[in-house]
């Protein structure tokens, strides 16, 4: 917050706004890193009680998820409010609401992603290695580290599947389109800087100015997909039973 405190509306400051927002999105995606431990740690107890007829996979999984959801959303909102005011983003109610919604959505998506990884892996060592690698890859293609226009052709599909990229584009578009960015006298004299509108900068980043709410709903869809993968991973992976046995058990519970 102190590094990106009250960012100026200058052309050079636009890059800092992008980096600050990207960093918030990344940190929030890692916030629920303990979700990686959830199923590798509790799978034994879950299997013992579930196989004993105490509850179904769906009852355990969805109750566990809902209990944790409110704390994830609460801390995402707190982070979004503090970071928005410290960075000095657009002073409007709808700008604040859009930023809070995007940060909350990407935090829940990140938690769901980590939960899915945890359900598919047998041990914490596996989950840690896989999740760290995948998150770094998704981070690299969020629009901050390399301009989307400069991504090699064989990697151009990655921004389309990066939930971090959805959040960065949505949050940046919400702020930038509301501003015009000026040049300092020094930048004019030394670099020949010219003022730019926020929409011009968004175009140079290959961001759509109206991406905020479509990307919010993409994050919701991604969250639902990761939650479904996590449920299936919990029910079918590392249970000591065959797929057919687990499938029949799932069908009977439905």
């Amino acid at each position: 917050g102190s590094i990106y405190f009250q960012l100026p509306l200058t052309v050079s400051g636009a890059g800092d706004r992008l980096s600050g927002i990207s960093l918030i999105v990344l940190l929030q995606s890692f916030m629920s890193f303990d979700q990686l431990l959830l199923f590798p740690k509790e799978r034994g107890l879950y299997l013992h009680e579930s196989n004993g007829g105490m509850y179904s996979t769906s009852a355990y999984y969805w109750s566990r998820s809902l209990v944790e959801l409110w704390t994830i959303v609460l801390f995402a909102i707190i982070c979004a409010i503090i970071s928005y005011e410290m960075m000095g983003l657009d002073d409007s109610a709808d700008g604040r609401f859009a930023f809070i919604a995007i940060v909350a959505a990407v935090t829940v998506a990140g938690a769901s992603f980590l939960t899915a990884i945890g359900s598919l892996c047998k041990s914490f060592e596996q989950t840690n290695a896989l999740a760290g690698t995948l998150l770094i890859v998704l981070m690299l293609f969020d629009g901050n580290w390399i301009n989307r226009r400069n991504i090699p052709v064989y990697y151009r599909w990655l921004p389309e599947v990066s939930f971090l990229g959805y959040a960065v584009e949505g949050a940046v578009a919400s702020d930038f389109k509301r501003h015009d960015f000026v040049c300092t006298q020094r930048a004019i004299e030394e670099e020949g800087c010219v003022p730019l509108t926020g929409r011009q900068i968004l175009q140079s980043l290959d961001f759509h100015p109206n991406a905020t709410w479509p990307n919010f709903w993409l994050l919701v869809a991604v969250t639902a997909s990761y939650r479904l993968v996590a449920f299936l991973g919990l029910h079918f992976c590392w249970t000591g039973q065959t797929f057919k046995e687990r499938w029949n058990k799932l069908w009977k519970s439905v």
Side-chain angles (χ1 to χ4, degrees):
S2 61
I3 293 173
Y4 295 102
F5 187 74
Q6 297 299 303
L7 293 169
L9 286 172
T10 60
V11 173
S12 61
D16 296 332
R17 283 175 178 252
L18 170 61
S19 296
I21 291 172
S22 173
L23 183 60
I24 291 297
V25 167
L26 177 63
L27 291 177
Q28 286 302 110
S29 299
F30 275 100
M31 188 194 78
S32 299
F33 207 74
D34 60 317
Q35 291 291 309
L36 286 174
L37 286 169
L38 178 60
F39 294 137
K41 182 179 178 181
E42 296 188 3
R43 182 178 276 116
L45 179 62
Y46 147 72
L47 288 172
H48 175 74
E49 295 181 345
S50 179
N51 291 336
M54 292 183 65
Y55 48 73
S56 64
T57 303
S58 58
Y60 165 75
Y61 175 74
W62 294 114
S63 61
R64 194 77 165 82
S65 298
L66 290 173
V67 164
E68 295 173 337
L69 180 63
W70 76 270
T71 57
I72 294 172
V73 173
L74 174 63
F75 284 104
I77 291 173
I78 293 172
C79 173
I81 292 173
I82 293 173
S83 58
Y84 195 93
E85 301 305 329
M86 292 194 76
M87 287 191 289
L89 302 183
D90 184 67
D91 188 19
S92 64
D94 56 337
R96 286 180 172 86
F97 179 76
F99 186 81
I100 291 170
I102 288 290
V103 171
V106 77
T107 304
V108 175
S112 302
F113 173 81
L114 295 170
T115 302
I117 296 296
S119 73
L120 296 173
C121 296
K122 185 177 183 179
S123 65
F124 174 68
E125 289 75 19
Q126 292 178 357
T127 62
N128 190 39
L130 183 60
T133 301
L134 291 178
L135 279 175
I136 292 299
V137 171
L138 295 178
M139 176 202 76
L140 288 173
F141 296 95
D142 69 3
N144 176 49
W145 306 93
I146 180 171
N147 190 293
R148 288 182 176 179
R149 299 178 185 273
N150 301 327
I151 295 175
V153 64
Y154 41 85
Y155 286 140
R156 287 184 183 168
W157 59 275
L158 280 168
E160 303 300 323
V161 300
S162 173
F163 70 92
L164 299 177
Y166 300 157
V168 171
E169 181 181 17
V172 169
S174 175
D175 181 67
F176 278 39
K177 69 181 180 181
R178 305 170 193 272
H179 300 298
D180 293 324
F181 295 86
V182 300
C183 297
T184 63
Q185 187 61 37
R186 179 180 176 182
I188 294 173
E189 294 174 354
E190 296 182 359
E191 305 167 14
C193 175
V194 294
L196 296 171
T197 66
R199 290 178 179 270
Q200 287 176 313
I201 296 177
L202 289 172
Q203 186 177 16
S204 71
L205 296 170
D206 203 23
F207 285 180
H208 196 286
N210 297 320
T212 303
W213 292 110
N215 282 18
F216 171 82
W217 293 113
L218 273 174
L219 288 168
V220 172
V222 164
T223 297
S225 300
Y226 287 148
R227 286 291 171 184
L228 177 59
V229 170
F231 172 77
L232 295 175
L234 174 65
H235 188 78
F236 289 105
C237 294
W238 314 107
T239 62
Q241 296 176 306
T242 65
F243 178 84
K244 183 177 180 180
E245 289 174 326
R246 297 302 291 176
W247 174 259
N248 290 335
K249 188 176 182 65
L250 178 63
W251 182 253
K252 289 178 181 179
S253 68
V254 173

